[in-house]
Amino acid sequence: MKVLLVNGSPHKNGCTYTALSEVAKVLNEEDTKTDIYWISNKPIGGCIGCFACAKKKRCVFDDIVNDFTAKAVEYDGFIFGSPVYYSGMNGSLMSFMDRVFFSASVQEPHPFRFKPAAAVVSARRAGTTSTLDQMNKYFLHQQMPVVSSRYWNMVHGNTPDEVMRDEEGLQILRVLGRNMAWLLKLMEAGEKAGVPLPKQEEQRIATNFIR
Ligand SMILES: Cc1cc2nc3c(=O)[nH]c(=O)nc-3n(C[C@H](O)[C@H](O)[C@H](O)COP(=O)(O)O)c2cc1C
C-alpha cells in the first residue's frame, strides 16, 4: 500500500514537512510506502469555474494540478498538510486542492474515491481547528474515509525545531499514521475477501435552493 503526503507549504523542509515526516515514519514502520509531494513555492492559480474539466477530464490549466492528479491514481491513501495562514489553509494549497478535487471528480478511475485521507496542520499559535475543518471538506465531498487520531492533527511551531519539541503534537501524528496503516490493511483484506465497494447511484441529484 502507498500513501502520498502532500506538503502544502511554500517551505520545502519547514514545519509542515516536519509534521508529515513524522506520519511517514510510522507508516513506513507499518510496511506502508510513502512519498512526499511538495506543491512548490511557485504561484498556483485558483479555479476559474469554467467547467471545462467536465469535458476535458482534466483542468484547463495544464500545470502542477494535472501532474498531481495523474500521479494520485497510483496511491491508496493521502495526507494533506498545510501551514495555518490567517486561521485557514495556505492560499496556494487551497487553489491547488480546489482545482485537483473539482477536476478529479469527473475522472475514471477516480483518483480519490474510497481512499482514506487526513489533513495535518502546522501553526505558530492559533487557527488550527478551523484549518482542519476546511481541509476535511474535500475528503468528505469525495467519499474518502477520514482517518482520525486521538486528538486533532496539529503541531505548533514556527520552525522545524519547535515542531520537534511539540511532543503531544508528534504523538498525535504517530497515532494518525498507525490508524491509517491499519485502515489500509483492513481495506486490502476486505478486497481480497471479495467485499465490494459501495454501489454508486448512476445519476447524481443536484437540486439548487432556487425553485
Ligand atoms: C501569511 C501567514 C499567515 C500566518 N497565519 C497564522 C495564523 O493565523 N495562526 C498561526 O498560528 N500561525 C500563522 N502563521 C505561521 C505559520 O502557520 C507557522 O509558522 C507554520 O508552522 C509554518 O509552516 P511551514 O514551515 O511549513 O511553512 C502564518 C504565517 C504566514 C506566512
Side-chain angles (χ1 to χ4, degrees):
M1 304 300 260
K2 277 165 65 178
V3 171
L4 190 56
L5 300 103
V6 181
N7 177 7
S9 166
H11 304 122
K12 190 173 186 189
N13 296 306
C15 302
T16 307
Y17 170 82
T18 307
L20 291 173
S21 300
E22 190 72 6
V23 186
K25 184 180 81 181
V26 173
L27 284 164
N28 295 155
E29 285 167 9
E30 297 288 333
D31 298 326
T32 304
K33 293 198 180 80
T34 55
D35 289 310
I36 294 189
Y37 186 98
W38 181 45
I39 67 161
S40 88
N41 53 12
K42 307 267 179 328
I44 301 175
C47 178
I48 60 165
C50 67
F51 298 94
C53 55
K55 278 200 187 130
K56 288 171 76 87
K57 310 290 178 203
R58 53 197 276 119
C59 184
V60 71
F61 300 119
D62 201 14
D63 60 8
I64 186 175
V65 165
N66 287 337
D67 290 344
F68 174 80
T69 312
K71 198 176 167 64
V73 177
E74 301 161 26
Y75 290 85
D76 307 294
F78 299 89
I79 310 269
F80 286 81
S82 182
V84 171
Y85 281 9
Y86 291 95
S87 291
M89 61 206 276
N90 164 31
S92 293
L93 180 65
M94 189 167 128
S95 294
F96 178 83
M97 288 181 77
D98 281 358
R99 288 173 50 218
V100 162
F101 279 82
F102 206 66
S103 57
S105 67
V106 291
Q107 292 177 13
E108 287 300 337
H110 196 289
F112 303 112
R113 191 177 297 145
F114 304 127
K115 296 181 182 177
V120 161
V121 299
S122 170
R124 187 187 68 78
R125 190 168 181 84
T128 43
T129 52
S130 49
T131 307
L132 276 175
D133 283 347
Q134 185 185 11
M135 293 175 76
N136 282 332
K137 302 292 192 314
Y138 295 87
F139 317 140
L140 297 172
H141 192 272
Q142 292 300 326
Q143 305 184 66
M144 300 171 83
V146 179
V147 183
S148 59
S149 182
R150 65 198 291 168
Y151 198 84
W152 303 303
N153 313 325
M154 61 178 75
V155 285
H156 286 98
N158 224 16
T159 62
D161 176 60
E162 284 178 3
V163 170
M164 290 312 288
R165 286 190 277 139
D166 178 3
E167 289 186 25
E168 182 172 351
L170 293 175
Q171 185 180 54
I172 291 162
L173 298 180
R174 291 193 296 275
V175 172
L176 173 68
R178 277 185 215 106
N179 288 355
M180 177 166 262
W182 171 71
L183 186 59
L184 285 169
K185 286 173 194 165
L186 286 182
M187 292 176 86
E188 192 176 38
E191 194 184 335
K192 280 188 189 143
V195 178
L197 290 172
K199 217 168 35 184
Q200 297 293 289
E201 295 192 24
E202 288 278 311
Q203 200 67 42
R204 177 171 175 259
I205 300 171
T207 50
N208 301 344
F209 287 112
I210 299 165
R211 283 282 169 275

